[in-house]
Amino acid sequence: MDPKRELSSVDLAAVVGELSDLEGAKVDKAYLYGDDLVRLKMRDFDRGRVELFIEVGETKRVHTVAQERVPDAPGRPPHFAKMLRNRLSGADFAGVSQYEFDRILEFVFEREDANTRVIVELFGEGNVAVTDGEYEVVDSLETIRLKSRTVAPGARYEFPESRVNPLTVSREAFDRQMDDSDTDVVRTLATQLNFGGLYAEELCTRAGVEKTIDIADAGESEYDRLYGAIERLAIDVRNGAFDPRLYLERDDEDETEDDSGADDEGGATADTDDEDETEAPGTPVDVTPFPLEEHQQAGLEPEAFDSFTEALDEYFYQLELAEEEPADSASQRPDFEAEIAKQQRIIEQQEGAIEEFEREAEAERERAELLYANYGFVDEILTTVRDARTEGTPWDEIEERFAAGAEQGIDAAEAVVDVDGANGRVTIELDDERIPLDADDGVEKNADRLYTEAKRIAEKKEGAQQAIENTREELADVRERKAAWEADDEGGDDIGGDDSDEDEPDIDWLARSSIPIRENEPWFDRFRWVQTSDGFLVIGGRNADQNEELVSKYLEPGDRVFHTQAHGGPVTVLKATDPSESSRPDMEFPETSIEQAAQFAVSYASVWKDGRYAGDVYSVDADQVTKTPESGEYLEKGGFAIRGDRTYHRDTPVGVAVGIQCEPWTRVIGGPPAAIADRAVTTIAVEPGQFAQGDVAKRIYRELRERFSDESFVRKIASPDQLQHFLPPGGSRIAEE
């Protein structure tokens, strides 16, 4: 039996019933793993920290997760995660509902400034759409444009066409649905009444009705029993009368041992078998909110749980462990790569924590400085509040006065966004920053409080830095054990030798079950870049500021500068040397590198945006480029002047591919296809098209994940946002191979 990877409509009805108990919990933070797993970290008054997982990819699930099973936070939040944080941080979870009996959940979050609806589609390709309180889509993981419905930013969210809800269907409607069918009973329940295959069979079993009986042969008695079984199921769902089960399927070897143990009168073998059952009870294949007679008849082993969300957490955790477990662990080398990757993820998380501390401390300092920069304005607000309190004015009336002043257009009143009488505070907004102020204190004391908080946060970095050092020692220990193993194991594994040995024979990276992570952050990573097939670096500016920086800071004698004849192209530099090396004015570049640099320049220019497949590019030596205009000329930011002759590369074809590199570093690379072909283990080419950058990046991400046996590897080193950095501005589509 294949393990279940998607929750059914009945499952979701149970999930809704249990998650409703979390109403009132506050959202702390949102995360996005890859392009299909959303994590919401929340705080509940009774339960403390709560982790909600929403996955809509190949696995489709919604449930809470035990804290110890939460994966490390991704290093850099993508755009979708940032948007979720902006809308949900500090919001109250107001409830969750299931759309009719479909596999769609709607989560509602309330905050003073805006309400947000997160709509989770757990059917088809899966999707998460974030809308405002009026169902206007703010953003979605997938953009959907069909004749029947549209899910896209700026559009009103459209639910799929309504289907029959079998848990609320009347007897008359039930009879009509059954009578209109031209197949057997179980298929009718599965399709016409939307129960799906498993619950359709379960209802037949509970009702004592033959599954394969043709509808034409089913009479009033069969209808009565089936409808009665449906009613009982509906009552259990409505009343939350769940009795969850996780079902395990034992393999043949375990069953054989069980039989031999049962026949052993001595007892010793039976004891051994009992231990085996405890250590390896079997493979998880299903999890349900109720015990199912179908699974009992199939011989599956049930495990009871107090709540369905707890059972879901355990099921998907065990499923992941079962899939990661090697077929013959005794004959395989230790998975040093996984250990190394784990320590590297911990270091990344700790470094992210330090960065977060720095950002939080800087944010507090900036708020303090904003108070001083608007001293008179802030003092006016605080004085108004103190004077009113001295006169005995209630807090509610003070809030009403500010609201009235805001309606009259008074700046100071408009800046007040909240009056908290219980704590004696007013919250103001300056330059889009919300700053709570103690009404009894002046500007100086409020600013000093913010500076003190910034200092306290900054001091937390020391503990995180010490933790990083400890983790680095553990990482070094793993690498030493790995080196010792490989020195003793002459046969080696499929890599053999040191990971950094570039002379290794060909490795089938796509087929490897575990790929070691080797990260680096080169100085040019923030620019557009590619290394030509000859090993020369090509860098280009992403905007006017970077164009300016490339010409003024990184352009050296011997470099070659490329630019499109059309306006609006990036500055592209073919580097003769690294900035840390001595310049080489006499450098002669191979023709292949020149061609690839020219293609790089034309592909990331307006030529691609315009949907054209070729354009003219010119190149000049570094000493022909100047930031000094002729008399009477004016250079815009990011612009430059050319002196002397230009070499033209006519009708240079556009061309971009994105791929994954596995050695010497594991990272995303992109650029002209010929430049990355030998460095990437797999690539996907794109061409001018009608799809937005973000949508194309998501499709590429999913395709790359499917190509690697180690699916977690792509999640560790890539994200749709990172892939998007290598895509040209404007519309694109994946090129046909």
Side-chain angles (χ1 to χ4, degrees):
M1 180 176 178
D2 292 333
K4 170 161 119 181
R5 295 188 176 278
E6 299 183 1
L7 300 188
S8 68
S9 295
V10 175
D11 296 336
L12 293 177
V15 168
V16 166
E18 293 189 356
L19 291 184
S20 296
D21 292 340
L22 296 175
E23 290 181 16
K26 281 197 177 294
V27 180
D28 281 338
K29 213 165 190 179
Y31 304 86
L32 178 65
Y33 297 81
D35 66 341
D36 55 28
L37 175 57
V38 174
R39 167 190 163 202
L40 297 181
K41 186 168 83 171
M42 302 191 293
R43 286 176 290 111
D44 180 68
F45 180 78
D46 295 321
R47 298 169 179 81
R49 177 177 160 187
V50 175
E51 297 283 359
L52 178 65
F53 274 40
I54 300 169
E55 188 169 8
V56 294
E58 182 180 349
T59 297
K60 295 180 176 65
R61 56 178 175 139
V62 175
H63 58 88
T64 54
V65 173
Q67 294 182 30
E68 61 271 17
R69 293 176 180 171
V70 175
D72 299 333
R76 180 185 302 171
H79 168 76
F80 191 83
K82 291 179 181 177
M83 176 276 300
L84 280 175
R85 292 178 185 184
N86 288 337
R87 294 195 65 91
L88 298 184
S89 293
D92 293 324
F93 173 45
V96 58
S97 60
Q98 182 179 15
Y99 177 68
E100 298 184 347
F101 193 63
D102 214 332
R103 287 182 290 165
I104 299 176
L105 298 187
E106 179 179 341
F107 293 83
V108 180
F109 299 91
E110 295 180 349
R111 203 169 64 183
E112 289 186 0
D113 57 339
N115 292 341
T116 300
R117 301 177 186 271
V118 177
I119 302 173
V120 181
E121 300 178 355
L122 295 144
F123 61 89
E125 295 297 320
N127 199 7
V128 176
V130 180
T131 79
D132 62 13
E134 304 301 320
Y135 290 99
E136 181 176 318
V137 178
V138 178
D139 201 358
S140 59
L141 288 180
E142 295 291 337
T143 299
I144 299 172
R145 298 185 188 277
L146 303 173
K147 289 183 179 179
S148 58
R149 61 193 294 256
T150 298
V151 179
R156 181 177 175 81
Y157 178 83
E158 299 176 8
F159 287 95
E161 186 177 348
S162 297
R163 304 168 63 193
V164 173
N165 184 343
L167 299 186
T168 59
V169 68
S170 66
R171 175 59 190 266
E172 293 76 12
F174 169 79
D175 288 352
R176 285 197 303 271
Q177 292 289 336
M178 299 292 284
D179 290 340
D180 289 345
S181 175
D182 58 0
T183 183
D184 56 26
V185 168
V186 71
R187 287 187 175 88
T188 303
L189 291 172
T191 58
Q192 300 296 106
L193 283 120
N194 303 315
F195 272 113
L198 175 62
Y199 279 93
E201 293 186 359
E202 177 68 15
L203 288 168
C204 288
T205 300
R206 291 185 179 186
V209 174
E210 176 60 41
K211 303 172 188 176
T212 58
I213 186 175
D214 193 273
I215 284 292
D217 298 328
E220 190 73 16
S221 173
E222 285 79 12
Y223 279 19
D224 284 344
R225 281 178 281 158
L226 287 170
Y227 190 74
I230 292 173
E231 281 190 315
R232 289 190 292 275
L233 177 65
I235 290 171
D236 285 344
V237 171
R238 284 196 297 270
N239 294 338
F242 306 125
D243 188 9
R245 292 291 187 274
L246 186 157
Y247 286 97
L248 302 162
E249 184 176 62
R250 297 186 63 82
D251 55 34
D252 293 338
E253 181 180 348
D254 288 338
E255 290 175 4
T256 302
E257 291 176 355
D258 289 344
D259 292 341
S260 62
D263 293 336
D264 188 342
E265 297 178 0
T269 304
D271 289 343
T272 303
D273 289 341
D274 288 342
E275 291 179 6
D276 289 343
E277 287 180 13
T278 302
E279 294 176 2
T283 303
V285 292
D286 201 1
V287 57
T288 61
F290 311 101
L292 297 188
E293 294 182 26
E294 282 294 299
H295 286 344
Q296 182 179 351
Q297 293 178 5
L300 299 182
E301 296 192 10
E303 183 179 347
F305 285 83
D306 293 333
S307 73
F308 188 45
T309 50
E310 180 186 353
L312 287 168
D313 181 21
E314 182 65 22
Y315 171 77
F316 285 106
Y317 175 69
Q318 286 195 28
L319 184 62
E320 184 177 352
L321 290 180
E323 292 177 343
E324 290 180 354
E325 184 177 342
D328 184 6
S329 58
S331 64
Q332 293 197 10
R333 72 196 287 273
D335 195 349
F336 295 113
E337 288 78 13
E339 288 189 63
I340 290 171
K342 177 183 177 181
Q343 299 301 332
Q344 288 174 328
R345 286 197 304 272
I346 293 173
I347 290 173
E348 181 180 348
Q349 183 182 24
Q350 292 164 337
E351 289 174 341
I354 290 175
E355 292 177 2
E356 186 68 23
F357 291 148
E358 291 174 345
R359 283 193 293 270
E360 291 177 1
E362 181 62 24
E364 294 297 329
R365 285 191 288 268
E366 288 178 357
R367 292 188 185 100
E369 290 164 6
L370 274 174
L371 294 184
Y372 279 117
N374 297 272
Y375 190 100
F377 187 74
V378 177
D379 186 58
E380 178 184 352
I381 295 172
L382 291 171
T383 300
T384 299
V385 175
R386 285 198 300 271
D387 289 348
R389 292 299 295 161
T390 301
E391 295 170 358
T393 305
W395 284 102
D396 290 345
E397 187 174 331
I398 293 175
E399 185 174 14
E400 291 172 1
R401 289 182 183 180
F402 277 121
E407 291 179 359
Q408 298 171 19
I410 300 173
D411 291 343
E414 289 179 339
V416 177
V417 295
D418 183 58
V419 177
D420 181 6
N423 295 300
R425 288 185 175 183
V426 292
T427 300
I428 64 173
E429 187 170 297
L430 298 174
D431 293 350
D432 297 326
E433 284 286 339
R434 294 194 168 202
I435 307 174
L437 304 173
D438 287 336
D440 291 337
D441 297 331
V443 179
E444 295 88 349
K445 283 190 176 182
N446 276 287
D448 184 62
R449 176 174 50 82
L450 294 171
Y451 279 126
T452 301
E453 177 64 13
K455 182 179 179 181
R456 185 191 67 81
I457 295 172
E459 289 173 349
K460 293 169 68 175
K461 289 196 306 180
E462 296 180 7
Q465 287 168 337
Q466 181 59 52
I468 285 180
E469 291 305 314
N470 295 338
T471 308
R472 283 175 177 155
E473 291 177 5
E474 295 177 12
L475 178 60
D477 177 65
V478 176
R479 285 175 169 156
E480 287 177 7
R481 288 190 284 112
K482 176 175 181 286
W485 175 280
E486 292 176 345
D488 292 338
D489 183 10
E490 294 181 358
D493 62 1
D494 60 342
I495 290 184
D498 192 294
D499 285 334
S500 62
D501 187 354
E502 297 182 1
D503 296 328
E504 276 300 319
D506 290 341
I507 301 168
D508 188 356
W509 292 104
L510 300 181
R512 290 206 60 183
S513 60
S514 178
I515 301 176
I517 307 298
R518 308 180 187 90
E519 297 177 325
N520 78 324
E521 294 185 4
W523 64 268
F524 48 79
D525 205 36
R526 57 196 180 88
F527 298 101
R528 294 195 189 278
W529 66 273
V530 72
Q531 286 182 312
T532 71
S533 54
D534 305 302
F536 291 94
L537 176 65
V538 178
I539 50 177
R542 295 185 180 276
N543 49 47
D545 287 333
Q546 289 195 349
N547 284 346
E548 190 90 16
E549 186 178 0
L550 285 177
V551 172
S552 61
K553 185 175 180 180
Y554 292 107
L555 190 59
E556 300 287 344
D559 295 347
R560 194 81 178 157
V561 178
F562 294 76
H563 200 272
T564 56
Q565 186 68 9
H567 182 71
V571 172
T572 300
V573 179
L574 176 58
K575 293 291 297 176
T577 58
D578 189 86
S580 61
E581 301 172 344
S582 300
S583 61
R584 296 181 59 185
D586 57 346
M587 171 61 71
E588 291 189 11
F589 294 102
E591 189 61 31
T592 50
S593 289
I594 292 174
E595 291 173 357
Q596 290 165 16
Q599 187 173 51
F600 182 97
V602 74
S603 297
Y604 292 105
S606 58
V607 174
W608 189 291
K609 276 186 180 179
D610 296 339
R612 292 183 284 141
Y613 283 78
D616 294 339
V617 181
Y618 66 82
S619 63
V620 295
D621 292 333
D623 57 10
Q624 294 179 250
V625 180
T626 179
K627 289 295 298 177
T628 305
E630 295 282 5
S631 178
E633 290 182 348
Y634 169 75
L635 293 178
E636 296 180 353
K637 186 175 185 180
F640 53 89
I642 302 295
R643 306 283 186 256
D645 296 334
R646 310 178 183 189
T647 300
Y648 281 87
H649 310 271
R650 302 289 185 184
D651 293 323
T652 299
V654 299
V656 169
V658 182
I660 299 292
Q661 184 178 17
C662 288
E663 57 179 358
W665 310 110
T666 47
R667 62 187 176 190
V668 177
I669 59 175
I676 71 168
D678 292 337
R679 287 186 170 81
V681 298
T682 185
T683 63
I684 296 175
V686 295
E687 61 186 15
Q690 72 275 32
F691 301 110
Q693 269 188 333
D695 291 341
V696 175
K698 292 171 185 175
R699 295 183 185 189
I700 293 174
Y701 178 81
R702 287 196 297 270
E703 173 66 25
L704 289 174
R705 279 179 52 187
E706 292 173 359
R707 292 185 182 184
F708 283 85
S709 295
D710 181 4
E711 190 173 301
S712 64
F713 166 67
V714 176
R715 286 192 181 204
K716 294 170 188 172
I717 68 164
S719 69
D721 275 15
Q722 288 172 291
L723 293 165
Q724 187 173 334
H725 282 306
F726 290 93
L727 296 177
S732 300
R733 65 185 177 193
I734 296 176
E736 296 183 2
E737 297 182 358

